[in-house]
Amino acid sequence: MPDDRNDNNSQTPREPKIPGMPGGKKPTRTGWLYFILACALLGYAFFNMGSGFANSSNTVKLATSEMVGAIKQDRVEDLTYTVQDGSVAGHYWKTKKDKGDTSELKSFSSTYVGSDSLAELMAEHPDTKYIVNTNDPDFWGDLAMACYRRLP
């Protein structure tokens, strides 16, 4: 029986074989879109995971009451409040005698509910640098989930 695959007179059109592709089929646009989306999600996950490992060793997690006590004793150098999730981060001195010594300055993170009461507390301590961050800390994750929900 003759081999029809090499017959130039065959009526079925053949797609050119692409090296490295199974079956020699061309990749589709949808396939490339899924590939790019998967790479972006993996990159995002590794980026966030890496920054979490790097910051966890140097940052002290304070209870809200400890943070408020440090603010009232003027032991906080700077403070950033993120509105989206209520997180607080900054630098502080553990004791009053360490205040002013930059080598004793420690990073901290905490949570605080109620941006109005925190703003009032910070107004009573004008020497502390106070920043309100209104950006969404999980913008790329939210964007990826919104795109995922739209897929069929």
Side-chain angles (χ1 to χ4, degrees):
M1 176 160 266
D3 189 8
D4 289 335
R5 287 181 283 164
N6 293 330
D7 184 14
N8 289 337
N9 295 330
S10 175
Q11 297 297 319
T12 59
R14 290 181 22 192
E15 293 184 24
K17 287 195 173 207
I18 299 173
M21 295 296 292
K25 294 182 180 178
K26 292 183 179 180
T28 63
R29 283 188 214 159
T30 307
W32 280 112
L33 179 66
Y34 284 132
F35 175 74
I36 290 170
L37 182 64
C39 287
L41 289 174
L42 281 173
Y44 175 75
F46 285 124
F47 175 75
N48 281 341
M49 188 171 56
S51 65
F53 287 131
N55 291 338
S56 65
S57 62
N58 298 334
T59 304
V60 177
K61 180 76 174 160
L62 293 179
T64 304
S65 59
E66 290 178 275
M67 181 193 66
V68 170
I71 293 170
K72 288 182 177 180
Q73 294 174 2
D74 290 321
R75 293 186 289 125
V76 176
E77 174 74 15
D78 60 84
L79 186 128
T80 302
Y81 175 70
T82 303
V83 174
Q84 185 73 21
D85 59 358
S87 65
V88 179
H91 298 89
Y92 84 114
W93 291 278
K94 286 188 175 185
T95 63
K96 242 183 169 174
K97 71 176 187 160
D98 293 338
K99 186 178 175 186
D101 185 4
T102 55
S103 65
E104 294 296 321
L105 203 57
K106 306 289 181 196
S107 296
F108 76 92
S109 66
S110 187
T111 55
Y112 197 90
V113 179
S115 60
D116 294 340
S117 60
L118 182 61
E120 290 174 11
L121 178 63
M122 296 310 296
E124 296 171 4
H125 302 276
D127 293 337
T128 303
K129 182 179 176 186
Y130 176 56
I131 299 170
V132 177
N133 182 3
T134 57
N135 294 333
D136 184 359
D138 199 22
F139 171 76
W140 293 108
D142 294 344
L143 180 64
M145 288 306 295
C147 291
Y148 176 74
R149 288 184 193 133
R150 295 217 182 257
L151 292 177

